[in-house]
mmCIF file of all heavy atoms in Angstrom:
data_model
loop_
_atom_site.group_PDB
_atom_site.id
_atom_site.type_symbol
_atom_site.label_atom_id
_atom_site.label_comp_id
_atom_site.label_asym_id
_atom_site.label_seq_id
_atom_site.Cartn_x
_atom_site.Cartn_y
_atom_site.Cartn_z
ATOM 1 N N VAL A 25 -143.085 -134.969 178.011
ATOM 2 C CA VAL A 25 -144.339 -134.467 178.564
ATOM 3 C C VAL A 25 -144.539 -133.010 178.167
ATOM 4 O O VAL A 25 -145.639 -132.590 177.786
ATOM 5 C CB VAL A 25 -144.356 -134.640 180.098
ATOM 6 C CG1 VAL A 25 -145.532 -133.911 180.723
ATOM 7 C CG2 VAL A 25 -144.411 -136.131 180.455
ATOM 8 N N LEU A 26 -143.469 -132.202 178.247
ATOM 9 C CA LEU A 26 -143.542 -130.785 177.867
ATOM 10 C C LEU A 26 -143.994 -130.633 176.416
ATOM 11 O O LEU A 26 -144.855 -129.797 176.107
ATOM 12 C CB LEU A 26 -142.180 -130.130 178.094
ATOM 13 C CG LEU A 26 -142.028 -128.647 177.747
ATOM 14 C CD1 LEU A 26 -140.993 -127.993 178.665
ATOM 15 C CD2 LEU A 26 -141.611 -128.427 176.299
ATOM 16 N N LEU A 27 -143.449 -131.439 175.538
ATOM 17 C CA LEU A 27 -143.841 -131.354 174.125
ATOM 18 C C LEU A 27 -145.326 -131.679 173.956
ATOM 19 O O LEU A 27 -146.022 -131.079 173.131
ATOM 20 C CB LEU A 27 -142.987 -132.304 173.291
ATOM 21 C CG LEU A 27 -141.507 -131.929 173.152
ATOM 22 C CD1 LEU A 27 -140.739 -133.053 172.460
ATOM 23 C CD2 LEU A 27 -141.347 -130.620 172.380
ATOM 24 N N GLY A 28 -145.817 -132.621 174.737
ATOM 25 C CA GLY A 28 -147.240 -132.941 174.668
ATOM 26 C C GLY A 28 -148.127 -131.820 175.166
ATOM 27 O O GLY A 28 -149.211 -131.580 174.619
ATOM 28 N N TRP A 29 -147.664 -131.090 176.204
ATOM 29 C CA TRP A 29 -148.479 -130.000 176.738
ATOM 30 C C TRP A 29 -148.688 -128.876 175.723
ATOM 31 O O TRP A 29 -149.643 -128.109 175.838
ATOM 32 C CB TRP A 29 -147.854 -129.428 178.009
ATOM 33 C CG TRP A 29 -147.913 -130.299 179.222
ATOM 34 C CD1 TRP A 29 -146.914 -130.518 180.125
ATOM 35 C CD2 TRP A 29 -149.032 -131.060 179.713
ATOM 36 N NE1 TRP A 29 -147.321 -131.369 181.128
ATOM 37 C CE2 TRP A 29 -148.633 -131.711 180.901
ATOM 38 C CE3 TRP A 29 -150.327 -131.264 179.245
ATOM 39 C CZ2 TRP A 29 -149.475 -132.539 181.642
ATOM 40 C CZ3 TRP A 29 -151.181 -132.096 179.982
ATOM 41 C CH2 TRP A 29 -150.755 -132.712 181.155
ATOM 42 N N VAL A 30 -147.810 -128.760 174.735
ATOM 43 C CA VAL A 30 -148.018 -127.752 173.684
ATOM 44 C C VAL A 30 -149.323 -128.029 172.948
ATOM 45 O O VAL A 30 -150.130 -127.129 172.706
ATOM 46 C CB VAL A 30 -146.824 -127.734 172.711
ATOM 47 C CG1 VAL A 30 -147.118 -126.834 171.503
ATOM 48 C CG2 VAL A 30 -145.560 -127.262 173.419
ATOM 49 N N LEU A 31 -149.558 -129.280 172.592
ATOM 50 C CA LEU A 31 -150.829 -129.664 171.963
ATOM 51 C C LEU A 31 -152.001 -129.412 172.902
ATOM 52 O O LEU A 31 -153.063 -128.944 172.480
ATOM 53 C CB LEU A 31 -150.800 -131.145 171.585
ATOM 54 C CG LEU A 31 -150.313 -131.540 170.205
ATOM 55 C CD1 LEU A 31 -150.257 -133.061 170.095
ATOM 56 C CD2 LEU A 31 -151.215 -130.973 169.116
ATOM 57 N N PHE A 32 -151.820 -129.742 174.154
ATOM 58 C CA PHE A 32 -152.887 -129.628 175.140
ATOM 59 C C PHE A 32 -153.331 -128.176 175.310
ATOM 60 O O PHE A 32 -154.514 -127.890 175.474
ATOM 61 C CB PHE A 32 -152.366 -130.180 176.472
ATOM 62 C CG PHE A 32 -153.416 -130.418 177.516
ATOM 63 C CD1 PHE A 32 -154.134 -131.601 177.547
ATOM 64 C CD2 PHE A 32 -153.670 -129.484 178.505
ATOM 65 C CE1 PHE A 32 -155.082 -131.849 178.522
ATOM 66 C CE2 PHE A 32 -154.608 -129.702 179.495
ATOM 67 C CZ PHE A 32 -155.325 -130.895 179.495
ATOM 68 N N ARG A 33 -152.386 -127.234 175.252
ATOM 69 C CA ARG A 33 -152.682 -125.823 175.508
ATOM 70 C C ARG A 33 -153.062 -125.043 174.254
ATOM 71 O O ARG A 33 -153.839 -124.077 174.322
ATOM 72 C CB ARG A 33 -151.461 -125.172 176.177
ATOM 73 C CG ARG A 33 -151.519 -123.653 176.337
ATOM 74 C CD ARG A 33 -152.665 -123.228 177.231
ATOM 75 N NE ARG A 33 -152.634 -121.792 177.503
ATOM 76 C CZ ARG A 33 -153.104 -120.850 176.665
ATOM 77 N NH1 ARG A 33 -153.616 -121.205 175.495
ATOM 78 N NH2 ARG A 33 -153.048 -119.581 177.011
ATOM 79 N N ALA A 34 -152.525 -125.411 173.104
ATOM 80 C CA ALA A 34 -152.743 -124.638 171.880
ATOM 81 C C ALA A 34 -154.226 -124.604 171.515
ATOM 82 O O ALA A 34 -154.951 -125.591 171.700
ATOM 83 C CB ALA A 34 -151.947 -125.241 170.734
ATOM 84 N N VAL A 35 -154.690 -123.459 170.985
ATOM 85 C CA VAL A 35 -156.106 -123.318 170.655
ATOM 86 C C VAL A 35 -156.495 -124.163 169.451
ATOM 87 O O VAL A 35 -157.660 -124.540 169.297
ATOM 88 C CB VAL A 35 -156.472 -121.841 170.399
ATOM 89 C CG1 VAL A 35 -156.300 -121.027 171.659
ATOM 90 C CG2 VAL A 35 -155.641 -121.251 169.264
ATOM 91 N N ASP A 36 -155.554 -124.451 168.577
ATOM 92 C CA ASP A 36 -155.840 -125.298 167.418
ATOM 93 C C ASP A 36 -154.533 -125.884 166.906
ATOM 94 O O ASP A 36 -153.442 -125.570 167.411
ATOM 95 C CB ASP A 36 -156.578 -124.530 166.308
ATOM 96 C CG ASP A 36 -155.861 -123.257 165.882
ATOM 97 O OD1 ASP A 36 -154.615 -123.242 165.876
ATOM 98 O OD2 ASP A 36 -156.546 -122.275 165.562
ATOM 99 N N LEU A 37 -154.631 -126.725 165.895
ATOM 100 C CA LEU A 37 -153.445 -127.394 165.374
ATOM 101 C C LEU A 37 -152.486 -126.426 164.703
ATOM 102 O O LEU A 37 -151.264 -126.617 164.759
ATOM 103 C CB LEU A 37 -153.878 -128.484 164.385
ATOM 104 C CG LEU A 37 -154.687 -129.639 164.979
ATOM 105 C CD1 LEU A 37 -155.102 -130.620 163.894
ATOM 106 C CD2 LEU A 37 -153.893 -130.360 166.063
ATOM 107 N N SER A 38 -153.024 -125.371 164.078
ATOM 108 C CA SER A 38 -152.152 -124.386 163.434
ATOM 109 C C SER A 38 -151.282 -123.677 164.462
ATOM 110 O O SER A 38 -150.076 -123.481 164.251
ATOM 111 C CB SER A 38 -152.990 -123.363 162.657
ATOM 112 O OG SER A 38 -153.707 -123.978 161.618
ATOM 113 N N ALA A 39 -151.885 -123.276 165.588
ATOM 114 C CA ALA A 39 -151.121 -122.616 166.641
ATOM 115 C C ALA A 39 -150.070 -123.556 167.214
ATOM 116 O O ALA A 39 -148.933 -123.153 167.491
ATOM 117 C CB ALA A 39 -152.058 -122.126 167.738
ATOM 118 N N ALA A 40 -150.436 -124.827 167.399
ATOM 119 C CA ALA A 40 -149.468 -125.801 167.896
ATOM 120 C C ALA A 40 -148.321 -125.956 166.922
ATOM 121 O O ALA A 40 -147.145 -126.017 167.323
ATOM 122 C CB ALA A 40 -150.156 -127.144 168.134
ATOM 123 N N GLY A 41 -148.638 -126.011 165.634
ATOM 124 C CA GLY A 41 -147.603 -126.134 164.618
ATOM 125 C C GLY A 41 -146.651 -124.952 164.622
ATOM 126 O O GLY A 41 -145.433 -125.121 164.480
ATOM 127 N N ARG A 42 -147.191 -123.739 164.772
ATOM 128 C CA ARG A 42 -146.325 -122.559 164.817
ATOM 129 C C ARG A 42 -145.402 -122.593 166.032
ATOM 130 O O ARG A 42 -144.225 -122.216 165.946
ATOM 131 C CB ARG A 42 -147.177 -121.286 164.836
ATOM 132 C CG ARG A 42 -147.676 -120.861 163.458
ATOM 133 C CD ARG A 42 -148.311 -119.488 163.492
ATOM 134 N NE ARG A 42 -149.614 -119.503 164.149
ATOM 135 C CZ ARG A 42 -150.760 -119.773 163.522
ATOM 136 N NH1 ARG A 42 -150.762 -120.047 162.230
ATOM 137 N NH2 ARG A 42 -151.907 -119.771 164.183
ATOM 138 N N LEU A 43 -145.940 -123.050 167.161
ATOM 139 C CA LEU A 43 -145.109 -123.090 168.366
ATOM 140 C C LEU A 43 -144.034 -124.171 168.251
ATOM 141 O O LEU A 43 -142.873 -123.945 168.633
ATOM 142 C CB LEU A 43 -145.990 -123.342 169.588
ATOM 143 C CG LEU A 43 -145.375 -122.988 170.944
ATOM 144 C CD1 LEU A 43 -144.865 -121.556 170.962
ATOM 145 C CD2 LEU A 43 -146.386 -123.181 172.049
ATOM 146 N N TYR A 44 -144.398 -125.332 167.733
ATOM 147 C CA TYR A 44 -143.396 -126.373 167.523
ATOM 148 C C TYR A 44 -142.321 -125.893 166.559
ATOM 149 O O TYR A 44 -141.122 -126.147 166.752
ATOM 150 C CB TYR A 44 -144.046 -127.644 166.982
ATOM 151 C CG TYR A 44 -144.773 -128.474 168.016
ATOM 152 C CD1 TYR A 44 -146.070 -128.949 167.776
ATOM 153 C CD2 TYR A 44 -144.174 -128.818 169.221
ATOM 154 C CE1 TYR A 44 -146.743 -129.721 168.710
ATOM 155 C CE2 TYR A 44 -144.837 -129.587 170.159
ATOM 156 C CZ TYR A 44 -146.118 -130.038 169.899
ATOM 157 O OH TYR A 44 -146.772 -130.807 170.838
ATOM 158 N N GLY A 45 -142.732 -125.204 165.507
ATOM 159 C CA GLY A 45 -141.762 -124.682 164.549
ATOM 160 C C GLY A 45 -140.799 -123.710 165.189
ATOM 161 O O GLY A 45 -139.584 -123.761 164.953
ATOM 162 N N ALA A 46 -141.320 -122.835 166.038
ATOM 163 C CA ALA A 46 -140.456 -121.876 166.728
ATOM 164 C C ALA A 46 -139.505 -122.589 167.678
ATOM 165 O O ALA A 46 -138.328 -122.207 167.813
ATOM 166 C CB ALA A 46 -141.307 -120.867 167.484
ATOM 167 N N MET A 47 -139.971 -123.638 168.348
ATOM 168 C CA MET A 47 -139.106 -124.385 169.254
ATOM 169 C C MET A 47 -137.969 -125.063 168.512
ATOM 170 O O MET A 47 -136.882 -125.274 169.071
ATOM 171 C CB MET A 47 -139.940 -125.420 170.026
ATOM 172 C CG MET A 47 -140.956 -124.806 170.981
ATOM 173 S SD MET A 47 -142.143 -125.999 171.668
ATOM 174 C CE MET A 47 -141.105 -126.825 172.885
ATOM 175 N N LEU A 48 -138.194 -125.381 167.250
ATOM 176 C CA LEU A 48 -137.157 -126.002 166.418
ATOM 177 C C LEU A 48 -136.315 -124.976 165.673
ATOM 178 O O LEU A 48 -135.438 -125.330 164.888
ATOM 179 C CB LEU A 48 -137.805 -126.967 165.410
ATOM 180 C CG LEU A 48 -138.480 -128.199 166.010
ATOM 181 C CD1 LEU A 48 -139.243 -128.963 164.936
ATOM 182 C CD2 LEU A 48 -137.441 -129.112 166.671
ATOM 183 N N GLY A 49 -136.598 -123.697 165.889
ATOM 184 C CA GLY A 49 -135.843 -122.654 165.223
ATOM 185 C C GLY A 49 -136.323 -122.345 163.825
ATOM 186 O O GLY A 49 -135.586 -121.735 163.033
ATOM 187 N N LEU A 50 -137.560 -122.738 163.523
ATOM 188 C CA LEU A 50 -138.102 -122.535 162.175
ATOM 189 C C LEU A 50 -139.060 -121.356 162.109
ATOM 190 O O LEU A 50 -139.776 -121.206 161.129
ATOM 191 C CB LEU A 50 -138.835 -123.806 161.717
ATOM 192 C CG LEU A 50 -138.017 -125.104 161.765
ATOM 193 C CD1 LEU A 50 -138.884 -126.292 161.355
ATOM 194 C CD2 LEU A 50 -136.791 -124.998 160.859
ATOM 195 N N GLY A 51 -139.075 -120.521 163.159
ATOM 196 C CA GLY A 51 -140.037 -119.424 163.205
ATOM 197 C C GLY A 51 -139.586 -118.162 162.522
ATOM 198 O O GLY A 51 -140.321 -117.181 162.450
ATOM 199 N N GLY A 52 -138.362 -118.132 162.046
ATOM 200 C CA GLY A 52 -137.903 -116.960 161.310
ATOM 201 C C GLY A 52 -137.519 -115.782 162.182
ATOM 202 O O GLY A 52 -137.477 -114.653 161.726
#
């Protein structure tokens, strides 16, 4: 459910992608 709320809250798909990437340790 938490992972789904990232999509729900993000302003667009790019922002959601950046947040998912950071959660996976891919944010640099």
Side-chain angles (χ1 to χ4, degrees):
V25 170
L26 179 149
L27 291 172
W29 289 137
V30 172
L31 269 175
F32 193 85
R33 172 62 174 81
V35 295
D36 54 35
L37 295 178
S38 297
R42 279 190 287 273
L43 198 53
Y44 283 132
M47 294 169 76
L48 294 172
L50 305 177

